[in-house]
Amino acid sequence: MLPKIKNAKGVLVGELTIPGEWIVAHLENATLWPVTAQKATYRGYDIWILPIAEELLPAVAIRRPAGLSPEGCERLLLRFLSALAWSERTGLLVQGLGGGGLPRQMMDSVRHRGAICEQFDLSYLPEPTDDKALLALALMREGRGLNHPGYSFLSFYRVLEVALGKGRRRQIDWINDEIAKGLGHSSRDAIGGLRQRGITDIGEHLYESGRCAMAHAAEEPIIDPDDPTDTRRLWTERPIVLELAERAIEGKLGVETTFTVYDKHLYELDGFKRILGDEIVGHLVRGDNPPAGTMVDIPNIGVRIRHREPYVPLSNLIIKEMTRSGPHALRLVYNLADDLIVFRVTLDFAEERLHFSLFTDIGYRDDGTAASAEIIAEALRFQADLFGNGQLQIVNADTGELISRKDAYLPVNMFANPEGSDALITRWKWLAHKRRTLGSLFAEEMGRWSRGYKMAIVATD
């Protein structure tokens, strides 16, 4: 179901209705913003993303905790926005800071002009502690949000100065070295245009005709706001300095981009590594055996699909088996009482992957009871949701802490039959109801429906 912008009256619900000293950062229209309130944990504090609603601007808010001053709350909200903007690769400009007894948003008669989503994916939200990295992320947030080519360009160049330090020649040489390595498509077009104009030292050009010309007005070159050629030139060259700023933040200040996090996919095994401990993980990475008798506590897990209602039978699974699956992998088998549902994953430490097959790694059986019919209905709903580009999440059943997540499931040479899946799920729910009311009368009929069924999926190859 596509997200929809809601009425403003429905924004303050749940914890957002608790009176307190609320601090709110009001934003200008964002390029992407959620339509549902979302609580995020950032640097140990709860921050609320207040949704787009009719005639309400986007905002973030915090109910001031003990020990944090109002100014500290404001700074925390701004740092959070900079981290969010970096993760989403967008700009977020703050229109004003305010607050009150409840987290009220600013009114705006202009309808939201950007894209909307249900909620942000906050699985990667950088929390650097280095002051330079924090400043650089703030400048990136500002630069990406500004609709002014000169000041946007200058914000990005200031990132380079933060990351590279003082020194005109140092900055120019680093820029030329990065350009020689190759930049992205939009930057390459701009670089090609500069070279066609006979500009060979592009680092020198960006420094003099961009950074200095925008920052100063005492000597040539000078950016003239009334000269459209200056405006067009800066818009054309802006992608170069934007990409350079992004590279400097990652390469010099150590803040990874979302793309790098995705490429490494360390989040698939990260939580399991913490559970197993460095010693056992080290043996698995090397492919040798841990000492005999090595023990580890494996918590109960909950299995979820992002943005989907919880699956009760998958909310508190107990470890049943943990076996070696090749030199670098562990096979974990979880179950519910009486093996009515079984969930299996393989932790591959050679590839840094969590392997889960939608068709072979979840099993369920019918024992003729209403409980088993309900479990099967929920297991089928889980399979259908995951097949529909769902994102698998595994959490600690006791604490809710995220242990592992997968990226969106992409079926290959298959398509789903949603009507067929819904009909079968409904059938199992109906049989569960009948079993509760009429006992085992329908057990034989249930058996006919359960044999060989997995999902309503059609292969195209």
Side-chain angles (χ1 to χ4, degrees):
M1 184 180 295
L2 294 174
K4 294 182 180 179
I5 294 177
K6 302 178 179 68
N7 188 284
K9 293 181 179 179
V11 170
L12 297 185
V13 296
E15 293 181 52
L16 293 174
T17 63
I18 300 174
E21 187 180 350
W22 285 89
I23 312 296
V24 183
H26 307 280
L27 307 181
E28 296 183 8
N29 263 293
T31 55
L32 174 69
W33 203 257
V35 297
T36 303
Q38 185 176 5
K39 183 165 69 171
T41 300
Y42 179 71
R43 300 191 180 277
Y45 294 98
D46 289 338
I47 292 176
W48 282 93
I49 298 170
L50 303 181
I52 283 288
E54 293 177 357
E55 298 187 345
L56 291 182
L57 285 171
V60 294
I62 183 172
R63 187 155 58 94
R64 187 168 79 86
L68 195 61
S69 68
E71 293 78 10
C73 290
E74 292 174 343
R75 185 176 295 107
L76 183 69
L77 290 177
L78 295 173
R79 293 298 190 203
F80 170 76
L81 287 171
S82 294
L84 178 63
W86 175 256
S87 178
E88 293 289 329
R89 305 186 81 242
T90 189
L92 295 171
L93 295 181
V94 175
Q95 191 173 95
L97 295 162
L102 290 173
R104 306 283 186 187
Q105 292 164 262
M106 289 180 65
M107 300 290 292
D108 189 349
S109 59
V110 179
R111 188 173 177 83
H112 176 60
R113 296 182 294 273
I116 58 175
C117 60
E118 191 63 37
Q119 289 188 330
F120 283 125
D121 181 356
L122 301 178
S123 51
Y124 174 55
L125 203 61
E127 297 186 15
T129 56
D130 178 70
D131 287 342
K132 288 185 177 181
L134 292 169
L135 175 57
L137 291 183
L139 291 168
M140 281 296 288
R141 172 176 63 81
E142 175 189 67
R144 280 175 161 152
L146 289 169
N147 191 31
H148 185 290
Y151 293 122
S152 178
F153 185 104
L154 193 57
S155 289
F156 296 138
Y157 200 97
R158 290 176 68 198
V159 171
L160 300 184
E161 293 182 335
V162 170
L164 303 175
K166 295 180 180 180
R168 172 180 173 277
R169 193 69 250 167
R170 175 189 299 173
Q171 295 168 16
I172 291 171
D173 288 346
W174 184 87
I175 289 171
N176 287 330
D177 287 345
E178 292 301 310
I179 290 173
K181 294 175 185 175
L183 299 183
H185 177 72
S186 58
S187 298
R188 286 199 300 270
D189 289 346
I191 290 168
L194 291 174
R195 286 173 174 158
Q196 285 180 359
R197 288 162 47 197
I199 298 171
T200 55
D201 192 336
I202 294 174
E204 174 82 19
H205 169 79
L206 294 176
Y207 183 88
E208 292 292 343
S209 297
R211 180 245 188 224
C212 293
M214 190 61 213
H216 307 298
E219 58 184 41
E220 294 290 342
I222 297 172
I223 299 295
D224 183 350
D226 286 342
D227 187 344
T229 59
D230 284 345
T231 301
R232 281 194 288 268
R233 179 178 66 79
L234 287 174
W235 271 127
T236 301
E237 296 171 9
R238 178 181 178 274
I240 304 173
V241 72
L242 189 161
E243 186 173 351
L244 290 169
E246 195 172 62
R247 286 195 181 188
I249 289 176
E250 182 167 46
K252 293 294 185 178
L253 301 176
V255 184
E256 294 180 332
T257 65
T258 303
F259 294 139
T260 298
V261 171
Y262 176 83
D263 286 341
K264 289 183 176 180
H265 45 75
L266 300 181
Y267 44 79
E268 293 190 16
L269 297 186
D270 185 56
F272 283 108
K273 286 182 176 181
R274 292 195 300 270
I275 292 167
L276 295 170
D278 293 341
E279 182 180 353
I280 292 177
V281 170
H283 287 290
L284 289 163
V285 170
R286 293 189 298 271
D288 56 31
N289 294 317
T294 301
M295 303 291 289
V296 62
D297 266 339
I298 305 293
N300 293 0
I301 63 168
V303 178
R304 304 174 182 173
I305 302 295
R306 183 169 176 258
H307 293 328
R308 294 292 186 268
E309 291 296 317
Y311 311 91
V312 174
L314 297 171
S315 295
N316 193 20
L317 296 173
I318 303 165
I319 188 72
K320 180 183 180 182
E321 296 176 10
M322 182 168 65
T323 56
R324 204 70 175 261
S325 178
H328 303 286
L330 277 182
R331 181 77 162 166
L332 305 183
V333 180
Y334 294 85
N335 72 343
L336 202 60
D338 300 323
D339 283 340
L340 292 179
I341 191 164
V342 178
F343 180 85
R344 312 173 189 90
V345 291
T346 300
L347 314 181
D348 187 335
F349 292 90
E351 296 185 6
E352 288 286 348
R353 287 290 192 188
L354 179 137
H355 299 300
F356 170 77
S357 169
L358 176 62
F359 305 105
T360 61
D361 285 336
I362 182 167
Y364 36 83
R365 70 181 181 88
D366 175 33
D367 66 359
T369 64
S372 66
E374 289 171 344
I375 286 171
I376 291 170
E378 283 292 271
L380 295 176
R381 183 169 70 88
F382 165 81
Q383 287 182 304
D385 287 346
L386 183 59
F387 189 83
N389 304 136
Q391 297 179 32
L392 179 68
Q393 296 181 334
I394 299 175
V395 301
N396 184 310
D398 295 324
T399 66
E401 178 187 7
L402 185 65
I403 295 174
S404 175
R405 67 178 177 90
K406 296 280 287 182
D407 298 308
Y409 181 84
L410 299 176
V412 178
N413 296 329
M414 292 178 289
F415 65 89
N417 176 1
E419 293 80 10
S421 291
D422 290 346
L424 285 162
I425 293 168
T426 301
R427 179 71 175 175
W428 282 100
K429 290 180 178 179
W430 176 80
L431 286 163
H433 170 72
K434 290 297 184 182
R435 286 180 176 182
R436 279 195 304 271
T437 56
L438 299 175
S440 60
L441 181 63
F442 286 80
E444 184 177 345
E445 180 179 356
M446 183 80 260
R448 291 200 302 272
W449 280 89
S450 64
R451 283 193 292 271
Y453 175 71
K454 284 296 178 185
M455 278 189 68
I457 291 175
V458 178
T460 61
D461 189 5

